[in-house]
Amino acid sequence: VKLSAIAAPVTAALGILAAYLLTRPKFVGQDAFEFGTMLSFAIPGTVIGVAYILAFNVPPIEITGTALILIVCNVFRNMPVGVRAGMAPLGQNERSVDEASTVLGARGFTTLRMILPLLKPAVIAALVYSFVRAMTTLSAVIFLVSAEYEWATTYIINRVVNGDYGVAIAYCSVLIVLMLAVIGMIQWLVGER
């Protein structure tokens, strides 16, 4: 829960920022950048999990078995939803808001802060999706969990394998109630449209 709660806002923030970069300024390599942000949806989770072990199990970045690798995996695995959720409202909004803020002397982040209220539905969608996906993911994290950092879904699978069906069902029920509570809390914190 803690690692998913850390990964969800980072995923939403990076997704909205990437959506802003993909819809507003024009730059060389924009198509390649968009392809790179969407690539994690095309690659199976088990391949991503193995790739993270191979990439981050050797120096200089040796983070296999830590909480950081689980957070990073969930952030980049779920970021395409934040990107697409942010691109939809940004593509519909007029560029006159950006131009007006530039004329008035605002920089890029000030302009982004001005249009954030228009992005509330996208922020809610990115937060909810990334939290729920991070909590229920199995294929990408099955190779990344360690004895110190257990994931709820891998714990449930291990209980089923051991024949502890009652414990597995109880954990599933708690997981469902917990996710519903967190979704309600996210919508309450961010607010209505």
Side-chain angles (χ1 to χ4, degrees):
V1 173
K2 182 174 64 173
L3 299 179
S4 295
I6 292 169
V10 174
T11 305
L14 285 177
I16 297 296
L17 182 63
Y20 181 78
L21 290 173
L22 288 169
T23 56
R24 293 300 197 228
K26 298 296 180 199
F27 57 91
V28 176
Q30 191 168 13
D31 291 336
F33 179 64
E34 184 175 4
F35 178 76
T37 60
M38 298 296 144
L39 192 59
S40 66
F41 266 0
I43 301 172
T46 51
V47 173
I48 288 177
V50 171
Y52 271 73
I53 288 176
L54 293 174
F56 299 120
N57 201 23
V58 293
I61 306 173
E62 196 169 348
I63 58 173
T64 302
T66 65
L68 183 60
I69 196 166
L70 292 166
I71 292 169
V72 168
C73 178
N74 280 302
V75 165
F76 290 104
R77 179 84 170 134
N78 301 323
M79 193 174 73
V81 170
V83 172
R84 284 296 168 194
M87 284 177 75
L90 284 170
Q92 293 172 355
N93 290 336
E94 293 291 325
R95 293 188 187 270
S96 60
V97 175
D98 297 352
E99 293 167 1
S101 67
T102 304
V103 167
L104 293 172
R107 301 272 185 222
F109 283 109
T110 306
T111 303
L112 181 61
R113 202 174 69 230
M114 279 178 35
I115 61 174
L116 272 179
L118 302 171
L119 299 175
K120 269 188 183 181
V123 170
I124 290 174
L127 282 172
V128 168
Y129 180 84
S130 60
F131 180 79
V132 170
R133 273 295 279 174
M135 285 293 295
T136 59
T137 189
L138 182 64
S139 61
V141 298
I142 198 163
F143 300 108
L144 303 175
V145 294
S146 63
E148 187 176 355
Y149 298 103
E150 185 75 42
W151 213 255
T153 50
T154 57
Y155 183 80
I156 291 168
I157 294 294
N158 288 335
R159 297 292 63 83
V160 169
V161 168
N162 290 337
D164 299 331
Y165 298 112
V167 175
I169 291 170
Y171 269 92
C172 288
S173 301
V174 169
L175 192 63
I176 290 168
V177 170
L178 178 71
M179 285 189 292
L180 288 173
V182 168
I183 290 169
M185 186 180 74
I186 289 171
Q187 289 182 337
W188 179 75
L189 284 174
V190 176
E192 297 296 323
R193 289 179 65 179

